[in-house]
Amino acid sequence: MTRIGEKRISTVRTRGGNKKFRALRLDSGNFSWGTEVCTRKVRVLDVTYNASNNELVRTKTLVKGAIVLIDAHPFKSWYESHYGVKIGLKKGQAAEEEENKQSSAHVQRKISSRQKGRTLEEAIDHQMASGRLYAKITSRPGQSGRCDGAILEGAELSFYQKQMNKK
């Protein structure tokens, strides 16, 4: 039963002399952003939904398939540096103009070529503004000692948001 907290992992000897790493507490993990092909180590902030048991949400237990809130800052800073565009601006905020960032012509060409295929889902942009993203844990923290997962987007995100609104 892995909980959110300062990292505490115990090793367990298994059959054949192999080892399992049982995570008792974890506070961060490796999460990937599928459509942008970007992976960052981020802090796990809270457990928001678990299909199997509400008790696991109340006790903030990290298990495979749990929906968690993660810190959006590493992904936001990567997106802004990769595409050269500010994202996650709240409605009241105006896009502040950059103070003439000096960059080479090569870098400017590279960023403008990336702009052509760029699309950002509105739900993701809204989450970036709040500084938190919904993600699903895909690893088994009690077996591997890690809390890895993927950011929810598209139909999967809307499905889980409906489920959370029901409860």
Side-chain angles (χ1 to χ4, degrees):
M1 297 300 247
T2 306
R3 304 268 164 75
I4 295 177
E6 190 177 332
K7 188 175 180 178
R8 188 183 305 162
I9 297 172
S10 65
T11 57
V12 179
R13 185 188 181 279
T14 59
R15 188 170 177 151
N18 296 313
K19 289 183 180 176
K20 284 184 181 177
F21 299 97
R22 185 141 300 151
L24 304 174
R25 293 175 195 268
L26 288 173
D27 58 356
S28 63
N30 227 16
F31 287 85
S32 65
W33 187 358
T35 55
E36 294 297 331
V37 193
C38 169
T39 302
R40 294 286 177 266
K41 184 175 183 178
V42 293
R43 255 178 357 130
V44 177
L45 303 172
D46 193 15
V47 178
T48 55
Y49 179 75
N50 194 315
S52 63
N53 193 348
N54 278 339
E55 187 73 10
L56 298 176
V57 176
R58 190 182 64 76
T59 58
K60 299 186 187 319
T61 304
L62 300 171
V63 293
K64 182 176 179 175
I67 306 302
V68 295
L69 273 177
I70 60 171
D71 184 23
H73 182 73
F75 292 106
K76 186 175 180 180
S77 60
W78 173 84
Y79 194 90
E80 289 173 356
S81 67
H82 189 74
Y83 291 108
V85 177
K86 288 269 187 207
I87 61 167
L89 297 173
K90 294 184 176 141
K91 288 183 181 178
Q93 290 179 331
E96 299 142 11
E97 293 297 318
E98 298 281 325
E99 289 91 32
N100 290 338
K101 267 193 167 178
Q102 295 296 325
S103 57
S104 65
H106 176 72
V107 171
Q108 290 175 348
R109 279 196 310 273
K110 191 186 286 187
I111 287 175
S112 64
S113 69
R114 288 175 182 160
Q115 289 283 350
K116 292 173 187 163
R118 180 182 77 84
T119 57
L120 182 66
E121 199 176 324
E122 189 177 329
I124 298 287
D125 190 40
H126 183 69
Q127 288 179 33
M128 290 283 190
S130 69
R132 294 155 186 250
L133 290 169
Y134 285 115
K136 185 175 188 174
I137 298 175
T138 55
S139 68
R140 299 169 70 193
Q143 303 285 325
S144 65
R146 298 177 180 190
C147 181
D148 301 336
I151 292 175
L152 294 176
E153 352 179 41
E156 194 175 17
L157 174 63
S158 59
F159 170 77
Y160 283 114
Q161 283 179 328
K162 282 182 207 165
Q163 294 296 323
M164 286 184 263
N165 288 338
K166 282 183 187 176
K167 294 187 176 183

